[in-house]
């Protein structure tokens, strides 16, 4: 076996110390396990009419005395890059159907009556640690075609300079309709796992779901 000189050993020791101090090992380890959150179709119901209230509480519209119908929930998570580092001040554009499976969109064919007290759309930012949190309702399922019922899901579009814009959908765990969803079944098992929130706690009587998002670097 080739001997390593004392000088080389000292150099390796210094380099190892620098790597440890800078957290490079952790970054490499994280990069090997984090994949970018998979893309998904934006869908036909992205909001087309602007609204004043797009804050982090979708259950209560400013000026309304009545809250949105349905099960209120909290969604929280962290925006990271593929190396596992937090992405601060990422813009999260969030929209979804109400508890009846109806979007605030003029071309939504769902015959369900829309909930006029549901905000339906939010634009928020991750904090300095990449964390985000919002309150909403459990979205209802709705017919996409005669034989296709879409499971509950929330749409996200995440952007940050230097990163590729990600449009995706967050699914909920243990939903039977996931198994028959055409978009869900087009993904690999690993991709489905990355796109599915986990129920982690309760805040009072509100279920809390964790959904972490991984952004890919913008390729030049």
């Amino acid at each position: 076996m080739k001997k390593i000189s004392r000088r080389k050993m000292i150099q390796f020791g210094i380099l190892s110390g620098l790597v440890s101090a800078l957290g490079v090992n952790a970054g490499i380890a994280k990069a090997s396990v984090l994949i970018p959150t998979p893309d998904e179709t934006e869908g036909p119901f992205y909001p087309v009419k602007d609204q004043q209230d797009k804050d982090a509480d979708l259950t209560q519209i400013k000026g309304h005395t009545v809250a949105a119908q349905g099960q209120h929930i909290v969604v929280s998570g962290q925006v990271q890059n593929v190396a596992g580092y937090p992405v601060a001040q990422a813009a999260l554009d969030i929209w979804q159907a109400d508890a009846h499976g109806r979007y605030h969109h003029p071309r939504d064919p769902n015959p369900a009556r829309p909930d006029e007290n549901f905000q339906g759309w939010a634009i928020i930012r991750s904090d300095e640690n990449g964390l985000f949190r919002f309150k909403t309702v459990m979205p209802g399922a709705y017919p996409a075609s005669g034989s296709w019922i879409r499971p509950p899901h929330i749409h996200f579009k995440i952007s940050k300079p230097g990163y590729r814009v990600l449009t995706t959908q967050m699914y909920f765990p243990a939903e039977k309709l996931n198994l028959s969803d055409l978009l869900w079944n087009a993904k690999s098992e690993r991709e489905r796992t990355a796109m599915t929130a986990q129920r982690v706690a309760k805040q009072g009587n509100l279920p809390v779901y964790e959904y972490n998002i991984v952004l890919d670097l913008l390729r030049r």
Side-chain angles (χ1 to χ4, degrees):
M1 183 175 67
K2 184 178 179 180
K3 283 189 175 183
I4 300 176
S5 69
R6 177 180 174 84
R7 182 178 180 182
K8 286 290 185 184
M9 289 292 288
I10 292 172
Q11 289 175 342
F12 287 158
I14 293 172
L15 178 59
S16 176
L18 286 171
V19 166
S20 178
L22 294 172
V24 174
N25 279 342
I28 293 171
K30 289 181 180 179
S32 66
V33 296
L34 291 184
I35 62 168
T37 300
D39 291 288
E40 189 54 277
T41 177
E42 180 176 285
F45 304 127
Y46 182 81
V48 294
K49 183 180 179 181
D50 200 10
Q51 60 192 49
Q52 183 177 3
D53 192 357
K54 295 195 286 280
D55 68 5
D57 186 355
L58 286 81
T59 69
Q60 187 70 56
I61 298 177
K62 291 176 182 176
H64 289 218
T65 58
V66 179
Q69 300 171 22
Q71 172 65 65
H72 293 190
I73 63 173
V74 172
V75 178
S76 65
Q78 185 180 42
V79 182
Q80 301 171 295
N81 61 26
V82 289
Y85 295 107
V87 178
Q89 295 299 305
L92 293 93
D93 194 340
I94 303 158
W95 70 102
Q96 65 167 87
D98 63 25
H100 308 297
R102 179 70 185 264
Y103 287 88
H104 288 328
H105 194 286
R107 292 193 298 275
D108 185 353
N110 189 342
R113 184 177 180 180
D115 182 358
E116 300 297 339
N117 294 306
F118 178 55
Q119 186 174 300
W121 183 19
I123 298 179
I124 61 176
R125 288 188 177 273
S126 61
D127 70 11
E128 293 308 307
N129 296 308
L131 300 174
F132 66 90
R133 186 180 184 90
F134 62 94
K135 183 180 177 183
T136 187
V137 302
M138 175 64 77
Y142 60 86
S145 67
S147 59
W148 178 18
I149 306 296
R150 292 240 55 212
H153 60 278
I154 297 176
H155 296 265
F156 286 78
K157 184 183 290 184
I158 306 100
S159 58
K160 164 84 178 189
Y163 293 89
R164 191 172 64 84
V165 175
L166 170 68
T167 301
T168 191
Q169 295 179 24
M170 183 198 96
Y171 296 90
F172 291 86
E175 284 289 338
K176 290 182 179 180
L177 287 171
N178 287 347
L179 303 178
S180 59
D181 185 63
L182 299 183
L183 297 180
W184 170 268
N185 283 312
K187 302 296 183 186
S188 69
E189 183 176 353
R190 188 180 187 189
E191 289 173 326
R192 291 194 293 264
T193 298
M195 298 172 74
T196 304
Q198 297 300 316
R199 182 167 171 169
V200 294
K202 289 194 77 173
Q203 179 181 310
N205 63 341
L206 303 182
V208 177
Y209 291 89
E210 182 179 70
Y211 183 61
N212 295 316
I213 297 165
V214 180
L215 297 182
D216 199 3
L217 292 171
L218 187 64
R219 306 299 179 186
R220 294 181 182 274

